[in-house]
Amino acid sequence: MRNSRALAAAGAAVAVLGLAAPTAAAWDTPSNIVALPSVIARGGQMTVTVDGCPHGGTMTSRAFPTTHLTPVRGANETSKGVATIDSDARPGSYDITVNCSGRTLTRPAAFTVIGGVRGGLGGSNSSGATPTDIAIGGGLVAAAVAGGGVFWMRRRAERRA
Protein backbone atom coordinates (compact mmCIF):
# COMPACT_ATOMS: atom_id res chain seq x y z
CA MET A 1 0.00 0.00 0.00
CA ARG A 2 2.85 2.35 0.84
CA ASN A 3 4.51 1.61 -2.47
CA SER A 4 1.37 2.50 -4.41
CA ARG A 5 1.06 5.85 -2.56
CA ALA A 6 4.72 6.65 -3.19
CA LEU A 7 4.33 5.68 -6.83
CA ALA A 8 1.20 7.84 -7.16
CA ALA A 9 2.95 10.82 -5.52
CA ALA A 10 5.98 10.40 -7.80
CA GLY A 11 3.72 10.16 -10.86
CA ALA A 12 1.87 13.33 -9.84
CA ALA A 13 5.18 15.17 -9.33
CA VAL A 14 6.45 14.11 -12.75
CA ALA A 15 3.17 15.19 -14.34
CA VAL A 16 3.32 18.62 -12.70
CA LEU A 17 6.95 19.14 -13.75
CA GLY A 18 6.18 17.89 -17.24
CA LEU A 19 3.38 20.41 -17.66
CA ALA A 20 5.33 23.29 -16.09
CA ALA A 21 8.52 22.84 -18.14
CA PRO A 22 7.12 24.07 -21.48
CA THR A 23 5.55 27.05 -19.72
CA ALA A 24 8.86 28.00 -18.11
CA ALA A 25 10.67 27.71 -21.44
CA ALA A 26 8.05 29.94 -23.09
CA TRP A 27 9.00 32.87 -20.85
CA ASP A 28 12.35 33.23 -22.64
CA THR A 29 10.74 33.36 -26.08
CA PRO A 30 10.26 36.75 -27.73
CA SER A 31 6.53 37.28 -28.13
CA ASN A 32 5.83 40.86 -29.20
CA ILE A 33 7.83 43.37 -31.23
CA VAL A 34 6.73 47.03 -31.21
CA ALA A 35 8.48 49.70 -33.33
CA LEU A 36 7.82 53.37 -32.56
CA PRO A 37 7.36 55.43 -34.59
CA SER A 38 5.92 52.99 -37.08
CA VAL A 39 6.42 55.45 -39.96
CA ILE A 40 9.87 57.02 -40.08
CA ALA A 41 12.05 59.03 -42.44
CA ARG A 42 15.49 57.91 -43.54
CA GLY A 43 18.12 58.82 -40.96
CA GLY A 44 15.56 58.89 -38.11
CA GLN A 45 15.78 56.98 -34.83
CA MET A 46 13.27 54.31 -33.91
CA THR A 47 12.72 52.59 -30.53
CA VAL A 48 11.93 48.87 -30.58
CA THR A 49 10.57 47.02 -27.53
CA VAL A 50 10.39 43.25 -27.27
CA ASP A 51 8.37 41.27 -24.73
CA GLY A 52 9.64 37.87 -23.59
CA CYS A 53 13.29 38.92 -23.87
CA PRO A 54 14.53 39.24 -20.26
CA HIS A 55 18.27 39.09 -20.96
CA GLY A 56 18.50 41.36 -24.00
CA GLY A 57 19.62 40.30 -27.44
CA THR A 58 19.89 41.74 -30.93
CA MET A 59 17.55 43.07 -33.59
CA THR A 60 18.14 43.46 -37.29
CA SER A 61 16.41 44.67 -40.42
CA ARG A 62 17.33 45.57 -43.99
CA ALA A 63 16.79 49.23 -43.06
CA PHE A 64 19.27 49.37 -40.15
CA PRO A 65 22.35 47.47 -38.95
CA THR A 66 22.27 44.87 -36.17
CA THR A 67 21.46 46.69 -32.93
CA HIS A 68 21.63 45.50 -29.32
CA LEU A 69 18.59 45.12 -27.10
CA THR A 70 19.01 45.84 -23.39
CA PRO A 71 16.69 44.70 -20.57
CA VAL A 72 14.30 47.34 -19.27
CA ARG A 73 14.46 47.83 -15.49
CA GLY A 74 11.15 47.40 -13.75
CA ALA A 75 9.53 45.77 -16.78
CA ASN A 76 9.69 42.00 -16.44
CA GLU A 77 10.75 40.11 -19.54
CA THR A 78 11.05 43.25 -21.73
CA SER A 79 14.04 44.60 -23.65
CA LYS A 80 14.42 47.63 -25.88
CA GLY A 81 16.84 49.13 -28.35
CA VAL A 82 17.21 52.24 -30.49
CA ALA A 83 17.98 51.84 -34.19
CA THR A 84 18.99 54.53 -36.68
CA ILE A 85 17.45 54.05 -40.11
CA ASP A 86 20.03 54.01 -42.93
CA SER A 87 20.13 57.24 -44.92
CA ASP A 88 20.00 55.23 -48.16
CA ALA A 89 17.06 53.00 -47.13
CA ARG A 90 14.41 52.80 -49.84
CA PRO A 91 10.86 53.85 -48.97
CA GLY A 92 8.61 50.92 -48.09
CA SER A 93 7.72 48.40 -45.37
CA TYR A 94 10.42 46.53 -43.46
CA ASP A 95 10.52 43.47 -41.19
CA ILE A 96 12.32 43.29 -37.84
CA THR A 97 13.99 40.07 -36.69
CA VAL A 98 14.83 39.71 -32.99
CA ASN A 99 17.21 37.18 -31.42
CA CYS A 100 16.77 36.67 -27.66
CA SER A 101 18.45 33.84 -25.76
CA GLY A 102 19.01 31.91 -28.99
CA ARG A 103 15.38 32.19 -30.08
CA THR A 104 14.26 34.33 -33.00
CA LEU A 105 11.05 36.09 -33.89
CA THR A 106 10.29 38.11 -37.04
CA ARG A 107 7.56 40.72 -37.26
CA PRO A 108 6.68 41.33 -40.89
CA ALA A 109 6.01 44.92 -41.98
CA ALA A 110 6.94 46.23 -38.52
CA PHE A 111 7.61 49.77 -39.77
CA THR A 112 7.54 51.91 -42.91
CA VAL A 113 10.34 54.11 -44.22
CA ILE A 114 9.35 57.26 -46.09
CA GLY A 115 11.57 59.45 -48.27
CA GLY A 116 13.68 62.08 -46.59
CA VAL A 117 12.44 65.64 -46.26
CA ARG A 118 14.50 68.76 -46.90
CA GLY A 119 13.31 70.81 -43.94
CA GLY A 120 12.84 74.54 -44.37
CA LEU A 121 12.71 74.38 -48.14
CA GLY A 122 9.13 73.29 -48.56
CA GLY A 123 10.21 70.01 -50.12
CA SER A 124 11.90 71.80 -53.00
CA ASN A 125 14.79 70.11 -54.76
CA SER A 126 15.99 73.00 -56.94
CA SER A 127 18.52 75.59 -55.90
CA GLY A 128 17.87 79.08 -57.19
CA ALA A 129 15.39 80.61 -59.60
CA THR A 130 14.45 78.83 -62.81
CA PRO A 131 14.16 80.68 -66.15
CA THR A 132 10.36 80.60 -65.78
CA ASP A 133 10.60 82.25 -62.35
CA ILE A 134 12.81 85.00 -63.81
CA ALA A 135 10.43 85.60 -66.73
CA ILE A 136 7.41 85.90 -64.43
CA GLY A 137 9.25 88.22 -62.04
CA GLY A 138 10.50 90.40 -64.90
CA GLY A 139 6.97 90.66 -66.34
CA LEU A 140 5.59 91.73 -62.97
CA VAL A 141 8.28 94.40 -62.55
CA ALA A 142 7.64 95.72 -66.10
CA ALA A 143 3.87 95.87 -65.44
CA ALA A 144 4.49 97.75 -62.18
CA VAL A 145 6.78 100.29 -63.90
CA ALA A 146 4.30 100.82 -66.75
CA GLY A 147 1.37 101.20 -64.34
CA GLY A 148 3.32 103.64 -62.19
CA GLY A 149 4.26 105.68 -65.26
CA VAL A 150 0.66 105.89 -66.45
CA PHE A 151 -0.50 106.91 -62.95
CA TRP A 152 2.21 109.59 -62.74
CA MET A 153 1.38 110.98 -66.18
CA ARG A 154 -2.34 111.25 -65.32
CA ARG A 155 -1.61 113.04 -62.04
CA ARG A 156 0.64 115.47 -63.89
CA ALA A 157 -2.05 116.21 -66.43
CA GLU A 158 -4.62 116.92 -63.67
CA ARG A 159 -2.38 119.56 -62.11
CA ARG A 160 -2.19 121.55 -65.37
CA ALA A 161 -5.89 121.60 -65.95
Side-chain angles (χ1 to χ4, degrees):
M1 187 92 170
R2 286 186 182 173
N3 287 340
S4 62
R5 283 187 185 171
L7 187 60
V14 169
V16 168
L17 288 175
L19 292 175
T23 306
W27 287 107
D28 288 341
T29 302
S31 60
N32 189 27
I33 300 172
V34 178
L36 292 175
S38 60
V39 177
I40 189 166
R42 294 179 283 203
Q45 287 191 332
M46 174 178 59
T47 301
V48 177
T49 57
V50 181
D51 294 335
C53 189
H55 307 295
T58 59
M59 63 179 171
T60 187
S61 175
R62 291 179 329 182
F64 58 81
T66 300
T67 306
H68 292 286
L69 294 166
T70 56
V72 177
R73 288 186 181 184
N76 292 336
E77 312 295 325
T78 301
S79 292
K80 78 172 188 174
V82 177
T84 301
I85 305 301
D86 294 334
S87 60
D88 60 350
R90 293 185 152 209
S93 295
Y94 287 90
D95 303 346
I96 296 177
T97 300
V98 171
N99 185 346
C100 295
S101 302
R103 297 178 187 259
T104 61
L105 175 67
T106 299
R107 177 167 178 217
F111 65 98
T112 302
V113 173
I114 58 175
V117 177
R118 294 181 65 186
L121 299 176
S124 143
N125 286 328
S126 65
S127 57
T130 64
T132 304
D133 294 336
I134 293 173
I136 292 170
L140 290 173
V141 168
V145 168
V150 169
F151 180 76
W152 183 68
M153 292 298 283
R154 288 186 69 203
R155 294 283 292 173
R156 190 172 175 213
E158 288 176 4
R159 287 184 189 165
R160 288 186 178 179

